[in-house]
Amino acid sequence: MRVASIDGRLAVKGPDGFVDVAVAGEGRFGPDPQDAFDRWEEFVAWAGDALASPEKLAPAARVEVTGDTVWGPPVPRPRQVFAIGLNYRDHVREARLEIPREPAVFTKFATSLTGHDRPVELPEGLVDWETELVVVIGRRCHRVTRESAWSHVAGLTVGQDLSERKRQLAGPAPQFSLGKSYPGFAPTGPEVVTPDEFADPDDLKLGCRLEGGEILQQSRTSHMIFDVPELLTRLSAVCPLLPGDLVFTGTPAGIGGARSPQKFLAPGDVLVTWIEGVGTLRTPMTAP
Ligand code: ZN
């Protein structure tokens, strides 16, 4: 199942395109995309039934996607956003650091979220790309085991952990959270895809490129040092993870700051980020 925020309203993808959840469900679920995650199991059961007989849905429930469609972040107001640094061996190597024994955890503040095809205004400084699989929590998750971890996941989406490197490394200790939280620095989407859509949700190809340019990053999520079950186990050992929370799971090698010469995003660049079976996220960069 695939859900999205289309023009600010929750939509679910059926055999003939997107369906507006509030209209199709006659108000059983509200139009706010965030609300579905609080009742995720009930929502998935309802949507499965509704999409099984699409001819019964009200014609007004059909959502037309055009060039003017606004794709919001599919999870617009998570209560917590976790992000993981140094979670791919090749990225640790390019950063010239040691393989971590514990996940390096920081946050991206929620005001940095944006959706697919939304322009990002580049602040002053050196803005870099970080392609990341983003996990959406679907069920409260406290002290979970590896074995049960995936059953707490609502779905997966494509993300970029955009990072301004000067701010990130300024100060007496690195400012990861601040340097990675300018407005628009957490593009996600276009859709959240449920784990049952994947033969192996722990092994997905991911990467990014500039539109019309070379591939910048290319890897597989199976190359993570701490995989999704391990991250949920270790995070939830400390913090309860709540429905609709996000976990940015780290980036593979190929960031601009580790290149020689270094390369950063410029106004006019369009960053295209993909994850196999999850989707393709487009992010145009604009001048300050
Ligand atoms: Zn990152």
Side-chain angles (χ1 to χ4, degrees), residues 27-47:
R28 178 162 166 191
F29 298 93
D32 185 334
Q34 187 71 36
D35 294 349
F37 298 102
D38 284 329
R39 294 155 66 197
W40 187 247
E41 278 163 70
E42 185 192 345
F43 170 75
V44 168
W46 168 81

Side-chain angles (χ1 to χ4, degrees), residues 25-207:
E26 295 172 343
R28 178 162 166 191
F29 298 93
D32 185 334
Q34 187 71 36
D35 294 349
F37 298 102
D38 284 329
R39 294 155 66 197
W40 187 247
E41 278 163 70
E42 185 192 345
F43 170 75
V44 168
W46 168 81
D49 284 349
L51 296 177
S53 25
E55 70 284 353
K56 289 189 196 153
L57 296 172
R62 181 184 289 270
V63 176
E64 214 183 316
V65 173
T66 70
D68 294 330
T69 294
V70 177
W71 297 85
V75 186
R77 294 186 316 283
R79 283 170 283 197
Q80 306 182 92
V81 180
F82 300 89
I84 309 299
L86 302 169
N87 199 24
Y88 286 78
R89 277 185 185 77
D90 56 356
H91 175 56
V92 175
R93 229 173 283 132
E94 73 179 354
R96 296 196 172 84
L97 294 167
E98 302 272 302
I99 299 290
R101 289 157 180 261
E102 283 279 331
V105 182
F106 57 95
T107 190
K108 288 174 80 72
F109 297 108
T111 50
S112 64
L113 284 165
T114 192
H116 167 63
D117 224 4
R118 306 307 298 156
V120 174
E121 188 183 312
L122 291 170
E124 259 182 60
L126 307 171
V127 180
D128 206 343
W129 52 84
E130 292 194 1
T131 298
E132 306 205 2
L133 176 75
V134 178
V135 174
V136 183
I137 301 299
R139 187 145 70 89
R140 186 186 154 92
C141 173
H142 195 199
R143 301 176 186 146
V144 290
T145 59
R146 271 190 70 84
E147 292 65 38
S148 75
W150 271 111
S151 72
H152 295 78
V153 174
L156 303 174
T157 192
V158 183
Q160 269 289 338
D161 174 19
L162 295 178
S163 304
E164 198 286 288
R165 299 298 185 199
K166 283 187 178 169
R167 171 83 58 192
Q168 177 185 342
L169 301 171
Q175 302 271 14
F176 273 53
S177 299
L178 204 56
K180 291 165 172 274
S181 290
Y182 286 90
F185 269 33
T188 53
E191 300 164 345
V192 171
V193 184
T194 51
D196 61 302
E197 298 271 340
F198 304 95
D200 181 358
D202 285 307
D203 183 24
L204 305 173
K205 259 190 246 174
L206 78 172

